[in-house]
Amino acid sequence: MPGNRIGSHSNCPIHSTQVKSISSVKGFFWKSKHRRKSSIPLDFSKISSLALKQICNEAERLQSFPLLSLAAALVPPFTKLSSNVLAVPLETSSIEAQRCIDQRPCEVESRGCGPCGELYFQNLDLSRNAVEHRTGIEFPTMLDNSISGESNSSFPPEVLVGTGSRTMTIIRIKSLKVYAFGFYVHPFDVCEKLGPKYASIPESELNKRQDFYQDLLRKDINMTLRLVVSCNGIKIKTVKDAFEKALRARLARTNPDADFRCLQTFGSMFPEDIPLNVGTTINIHRTADGHLITEIGGSQYGAVQSKDLCRAFFDMYIGDVPVCEQTKEEIGKNVANFDYQDALTKSIIFLEAQRSGKLPKNHRPSWRGDSALQDGKLANVDLVGGYYDAGDNVKYGLPMAFTVTTLSWAAIFYRSELQAAGEIENVRAAIRWGTDYFLKASSRRNHLYVEVGDPVKDHECWVGPENMKTPRTVLKIDQNTPGTEIAAETSAALTSASIAFRDADHTYSRRLLNRAKSLFSFAKTYKGTYDGECPFYCSYSGFNDELLWAATWLYTATRRSLYLDYILEEAVSSPVSEFSWDLKYAGAQILLTKLYFEGQKDLHTYNQQADSFVCSVLPDSPHHQVYISPGGLVHLRDGANSQYVTGTAFLFSVYSDILATHKQKVTCGNKKFDSVRLLDFAKQQMDYLLGKNPKGRSYMVGFGKNPPRQAHHRGASVPKIALAKVISCPMSFVYWYNKNVPNPNELTGAIVGGPDKQDNFEDLRTSSAMTEPTTYTNSLAIGVLAKLAKHHAQS
């Protein structure tokens, strides 16, 4: 693969590949001692974007021109060659970044539990072959490593993380495709051997750490390089000679005291009578116990046991002086990433677990049942449906509306990303579950039912919603008891949802928009803060942010001057450092900045305030105000702090896209930050929650390594109980709350409250500030997870 001299890595382009479906994939099982079940399905979602890029060194002159030397094109010598170099220059290698869309389950057998309580190897699609673009050669996305047709192999299955090809030009006239190659690694090895040390390190830092790549070599991770010949005339002797020369130099460098007799043994694995016709495969396997195994044409020709030789071989690609520096960066990047697709799917499933009312047939959390089917009866109104906000069984209007607004925003802004992930319909269903409820709650003009359930009584009983017997008290706002925050937020929810449904269900969309207009009029006509949801959801910020927020959504949906006039002449705004169920200014400011960039120049002040929000959060901004934990997490409050993390990540992701579209930057004093910096910070925050943190653990239930198992949640922590059974509320805490045991029901996808400001965390149900999830924490995560899932599928 050498084409350029060592140190020159500019010619390493990335291209997309084609993918072709195959009928089946040999799966394998991962047994874990960490779960009650005997096996865990391992979800491989998409092929990695890891691209093994151009090998940039010189090649020796071919022994017999015009016969081509695969080895000369393949093997990079460690030291510079003499001037006696290849007379026919190599073209730039085309290294193919794999893009696959479908996701299928696969199961992996572990050789031990290790630190990987649950492993997800991102960007992998086992339902398809990868087709190398230039040669058309297919590579299986899983290498089962069966030798000579035998079903049992001594090596574990490995997954494809990159494909590439090499072409050679003869006398600058004819271009010949010499070979294609695929690079495979074993995912459990990566997680088990590198996860404990590197899980908490951000991707941007990991790429710069040489010890990461050295550990990738030293930790003896199973990996394979597969070559597929794509032209005739290649001699096996030149393959052997070039390998031996390059490996001798690497071996001498990596360990001067190594036993060099291993090179002779390795060379003996290339019998000279083997024809290398088009389609011939050469596999070089490295095993964890230090064997370098050569397989040609499906037959094993030998093995040499030498960890030094194994490391020398793969040192050519990921060592101190790699054949292409960009290859190393891609490896660091892709080992570091998470399966954002899986995290996205699970985040939506959590919202389903929070549903109240009569559940649909396609409801996914199997342990949940119908609940609160008489809600609203005390007020002679139908209030069945909607969402429980967190770990209790009360329906609060303000956080529920914010959940729907932010979920709708994700559906609007990241529609294509959600479609690519196959989740747009699930998100729309989640939105409709809330908006159907709000339509019933606002059926009378200037009336809005804002709470169902008695919070005090509910918090005195630890039972699931299916078995609750606590009072279902109903609270409302009207002209005499106004609640501007809740009315305006509900207006914003219905308006944003109307945009989300505009193409999917126009009639429903119009109905939502009309009700939203009515609620906004109600909110600004009868002003007043409603304290009925205190002490659980008190509005500390007042109602001006909700009025601006609602007007912004109405102007976005209608473009009517009525709402723009309100924004410019009546609305109150302020620079802030937070985006949450109580404080909406930053969200409105970013929405209005988009309109400003599109030509609405009288919104300039809002653009300045949106920039101020960014400047207050970024730790390298001269105007930084927000506390960042030692591990890099945004931390505003100890109670359910993850909501501020996902809120910040979502706004940064959205603003990043707006800046990129309009070629703008954020100015913070003497510094400027571009869209890439904002997205990187958003990703860093989400990665922290998914496992890149000082504890090396996930804060999403059912995802990643060592996820929470004691979420502060009634439904998840109480086993199924017969509906007729009488439950003692005082004893319910003894039975199910105070016990230090995992929840019997997995609250899949729930992002718990998270660690404190020093990155400390305890997975205890009794530590509600750390282990209680909320709907709005997840609704804010869905958009940015969709963005990251598609971004890394394409990178």
Side-chain angles (χ1 to χ4, degrees), residues 405-602:
T405 308
T406 50
L407 191 59
S408 298
W409 192 358
I412 297 163
F413 201 81
Y414 290 118
R415 176 179 174 178
S416 65
E417 287 82 356
L418 288 166
Q419 286 176 327
E423 294 292 350
I424 188 64
E425 291 306 321
N426 286 326
V427 169
R428 285 178 180 151
I431 295 169
R432 190 186 285 262
W433 196 266
T435 52
D436 282 353
Y437 173 82
F438 289 134
L439 288 174
K440 292 190 289 186
S442 61
S443 58
R444 293 179 58 193
R445 186 171 182 82
N446 294 337
H447 286 71
L448 178 64
Y449 291 94
V450 297
E451 183 176 300
V452 182
D454 185 329
V456 175
K457 293 296 183 182
D458 182 83
H459 283 70
E460 292 175 354
C461 206
W462 192 263
V463 296
E466 297 83 358
N467 297 95
M468 65 178 171
K469 298 291 190 268
T470 51
R472 302 302 290 169
T473 309
V474 175
L475 300 180
K476 70 174 181 177
I477 58 173
D478 54 24
Q479 301 99 314
N480 299 319
T481 311
T484 301
E485 294 93 339
I486 306 178
E489 182 60 58
T490 307
S491 172
L494 295 176
T495 305
S496 56
S498 76
I499 302 174
F501 280 103
R502 188 172 286 168
D503 295 332
D505 190 337
H506 186 70
T507 301
Y508 188 67
S509 172
R510 292 301 306 174
R511 185 183 177 198
L512 295 175
L513 184 58
N514 289 334
R515 188 63 57 83
K517 293 175 182 177
S518 176
L519 283 168
F520 180 70
S521 176
F522 171 46
K524 69 184 184 70
T525 301
Y526 301 97
K527 291 182 180 177
T529 293
Y530 181 69
D531 294 327
E533 292 190 338
C534 282
F536 302 99
Y537 286 100
C538 304
S539 177
Y540 297 101
S541 65
F543 52 67
N544 286 317
D545 56 319
E546 278 85 9
L547 286 171
L548 173 63
W549 179 237
T552 299
W553 277 111
L554 282 165
Y555 181 66
T556 301
T558 67
R559 289 300 196 270
R560 289 184 60 186
S561 60
L562 166 69
Y563 302 112
L564 180 59
D565 290 344
Y566 180 86
I567 292 167
L568 294 173
E569 299 172 9
E570 297 184 54
V572 176
S573 187
S574 176
V576 293
S577 303
E578 170 188 336
F579 181 58
S580 67
W581 61 265
D582 184 34
L583 193 57
K584 322 295 170 48
Y585 283 130
Q589 290 156 4
I590 287 175
L591 282 171
L592 293 172
T593 292
K594 180 176 181 291
L595 299 177
Y596 167 73
F597 288 152
E598 292 171 353
Q600 199 77 48
K601 296 305 179 184
D602 45 3

Side-chain angles (χ1 to χ4, degrees), residues 607-730:
N607 170 228
Q608 293 178 321
Q609 291 175 341
D611 283 0
S612 176
F613 168 74
V614 172
C615 296
S616 71
V617 174
L618 285 177
D620 47 345
S621 161
H623 303 310
H624 168 69
Q625 297 176 16
V626 171
Y627 178 81
I628 305 293
S629 76
L633 187 71
V634 166
H635 194 281
L636 295 181
R637 295 173 185 85
D638 284 334
N641 180 70
S642 60
Q643 65 177 297
Y644 309 113
V645 178
T646 58
T648 300
F650 179 60
L651 289 195
F652 268 59
S653 179
V654 169
Y655 203 18
S656 169
D657 285 345
I658 294 172
L659 293 172
T661 298
H662 298 281
K663 298 179 173 58
Q664 298 291 323
K665 294 182 179 181
V666 173
T667 300
C668 303
N670 60 353
K671 286 191 174 184
K672 290 184 180 293
F673 299 99
D674 61 11
S675 61
V676 175
R677 177 68 179 95
L678 268 65
L679 182 59
D680 183 65
F681 187 78
K683 180 181 181 300
Q684 179 188 343
Q685 295 304 302
M686 294 308 300
D687 284 354
Y688 185 108
L689 294 177
L690 297 179
K692 281 191 196 176
N693 54 63
K695 297 296 182 183
R697 67 177 304 157
S698 167
Y699 292 110
M700 176 184 284
V701 176
F703 178 89
K705 186 173 66 175
N706 192 22
R709 288 173 170 79
Q710 289 194 45
H712 179 95
H713 190 275
R714 286 161 174 77
S717 61
V718 178
K720 269 193 174 180
I721 302 171
L723 296 179
K725 183 176 178 62
V726 177
I727 300 171
S728 165
C729 285

Side-chain angles (χ1 to χ4, degrees), residues 240-545:
K240 180 187 74 169
D241 291 345
F243 267 134
E244 286 184 354
K245 181 174 182 178
L247 285 172
R248 184 176 297 278
R250 293 272 170 172
L251 192 59
R253 180 180 178 279
T254 55
N255 183 7
D257 298 325
D259 185 353
F260 282 76
R261 288 176 296 178
C262 64
L263 283 175
Q264 183 178 358
T265 305
F266 179 73
S268 68
M269 302 174 194
F270 297 84
E272 294 187 10
D273 60 344
I274 298 177
L276 294 183
N277 300 319
V278 172
T280 301
T281 61
I282 301 176
N283 290 347
I284 307 296
H285 304 278
R286 180 179 89 163
T287 66
D289 60 355
H291 283 84
L292 195 65
I293 302 172
T294 301
E295 176 189 345
I296 304 175
S299 298
Q300 183 176 342
Y301 279 85
V304 54
Q305 185 169 17
S306 170
K307 289 191 174 183
D308 290 330
L309 184 62
C310 289
R311 293 168 187 172
F313 185 88
F314 288 95
D315 181 74
M316 293 187 293
Y317 304 96
I318 56 177
D320 290 339
V321 186
V323 294
C324 184
E325 188 65 40
Q326 294 179 23
T327 298
K328 286 181 60 175
E329 294 175 0
E330 286 290 335
I331 290 172
K333 175 180 177 182
N334 287 282
V335 169
N337 289 335
F338 292 98
D339 186 347
Y340 300 111
Q341 166 80 51
D342 187 61
L344 168 64
T345 297
K346 289 181 174 178
S347 290
I348 300 169
I349 290 175
F350 165 68
L351 294 180
E352 294 183 18
Q354 296 301 104
R355 287 172 172 172
S356 177
K358 181 72 175 177
L359 301 181
K361 292 182 179 179
N362 63 349
H363 188 75
R364 286 179 285 186
S366 60
W367 49 271
R368 275 299 322 278
D370 300 340
S371 63
L373 298 181
Q374 301 297 315
D375 275 3
K377 188 175 182 180
L378 293 177
N380 294 316
V381 63
D382 178 9
L383 295 177
V384 176
Y387 288 101
Y388 304 116
D389 72 303
D392 51 24
N393 302 323
V394 180
K395 296 190 296 196
Y396 298 97
L398 184 56
M400 191 194 305
F402 182 67
T403 297
V404 172
T405 308
T406 50
L407 191 59
S408 298
W409 192 358
I412 297 163
F413 201 81
Y414 290 118
R415 176 179 174 178
S416 65
E417 287 82 356
L418 288 166
Q419 286 176 327
E423 294 292 350
I424 188 64
E425 291 306 321
N426 286 326
V427 169
R428 285 178 180 151
I431 295 169
R432 190 186 285 262
W433 196 266
T435 52
D436 282 353
Y437 173 82
F438 289 134
L439 288 174
K440 292 190 289 186
S442 61
S443 58
R444 293 179 58 193
R445 186 171 182 82
N446 294 337
H447 286 71
L448 178 64
Y449 291 94
V450 297
E451 183 176 300
V452 182
D454 185 329
V456 175
K457 293 296 183 182
D458 182 83
H459 283 70
E460 292 175 354
C461 206
W462 192 263
V463 296
E466 297 83 358
N467 297 95
M468 65 178 171
K469 298 291 190 268
T470 51
R472 302 302 290 169
T473 309
V474 175
L475 300 180
K476 70 174 181 177
I477 58 173
D478 54 24
Q479 301 99 314
N480 299 319
T481 311
T484 301
E485 294 93 339
I486 306 178
E489 182 60 58
T490 307
S491 172
L494 295 176
T495 305
S496 56
S498 76
I499 302 174
F501 280 103
R502 188 172 286 168
D503 295 332
D505 190 337
H506 186 70
T507 301
Y508 188 67
S509 172
R510 292 301 306 174
R511 185 183 177 198
L512 295 175
L513 184 58
N514 289 334
R515 188 63 57 83
K517 293 175 182 177
S518 176
L519 283 168
F520 180 70
S521 176
F522 171 46
K524 69 184 184 70
T525 301
Y526 301 97
K527 291 182 180 177
T529 293
Y530 181 69
D531 294 327
E533 292 190 338
C534 282
F536 302 99
Y537 286 100
C538 304
S539 177
Y540 297 101
S541 65
F543 52 67
N544 286 317
D545 56 319

